Amino acid sequence: MTGGMPFTFVVNTLDDTIDANPHVTSLREAVLQANAETERSVIIQLQVGTHTLTINGPGEDAAATGDLDLSSMVPVTIRGAVNGTSVIDADFSSADRVFDIASGNFVTIEGVTIKDGQRDSGGAIDNAGQLTVVRTTFFNNRGDTGTDPVRGGA
């Protein structure tokens, strides 16, 4: 990583989309872009409202379906709008958690509500990396302890 100012992806839609429109960035698209970044740290700035994950497909590890897989080689911060008005909702229908953080990753989540995730090894977050959570609310997430005693989750 060469350093410098962090690169900021501004999420400007609540829809869970992956498309070719360069003027619309969903949370999922911002995560995919962060995963591809190799030089600068990344800030994903959320807008006010509920970002509902609607692209079903648990068990995939590229953030294309299901949960948001963070595998970036640079530090990533996911920052909510002011006063905790940004919500990330797995909506239970996907049968998946909200975030899956790979080993070796540095992730900070701040100022959001994470809700309705369900999965073993963390209903909301499966964390094998280094995670910092600040001013974040976890609501209505379900998960068991899983089979791996080393990995953590919320």
Side-chain angles (χ1 to χ4, degrees), residues 95-153:
D96 213 342
R97 65 184 64 86
V98 176
F99 291 108
D100 189 351
I101 301 169
S103 177
N105 286 258
F106 296 86
V107 176
T108 300
I109 300 172
E110 60 183 48
V112 301
T113 296
I114 298 173
K115 64 179 275 197
D116 293 342
Q118 63 175 352
R119 190 74 183 218
D120 58 356
S121 299
I125 301 171
D126 184 11
N127 177 38
Q130 294 191 26
L131 173 64
T132 302
V133 179
V134 180
R135 295 181 321 277
T136 293
T137 301
F138 293 89
F139 179 75
N140 207 31
N141 296 288
R142 296 183 282 190
D144 62 32
T145 59
T147 59
D148 187 344
V150 177
R151 294 173 69 116

Side-chain angles (χ1 to χ4, degrees), residues 28-107:
R28 187 174 301 278
E29 288 171 322
V31 167
L32 290 168
Q33 291 171 334
N35 287 344
E37 178 61 43
T38 60
E39 298 294 321
R40 298 184 289 170
S41 61
V42 171
I43 297 171
I44 297 174
Q45 181 64 56
L46 302 177
Q47 68 181 49
V48 171
T50 300
H51 304 263
T52 302
L53 305 181
T54 58
I55 301 176
N56 293 336
E60 146 320 305
D61 290 326
T65 65
D67 60 10
L68 300 171
D69 304 287
L70 287 158
S71 60
S72 180
M73 300 310 295
V74 298
V76 175
T77 298
I78 298 170
R79 183 174 294 150
V82 296
N83 301 322
T85 55
S86 297
V87 177
I88 306 169
D89 186 353
D91 193 35
F92 286 143
S93 64
S94 69
D96 213 342
R97 65 184 64 86
V98 176
F99 291 108
D100 189 351
I101 301 169
S103 177
N105 286 258
F106 296 86
V107 176

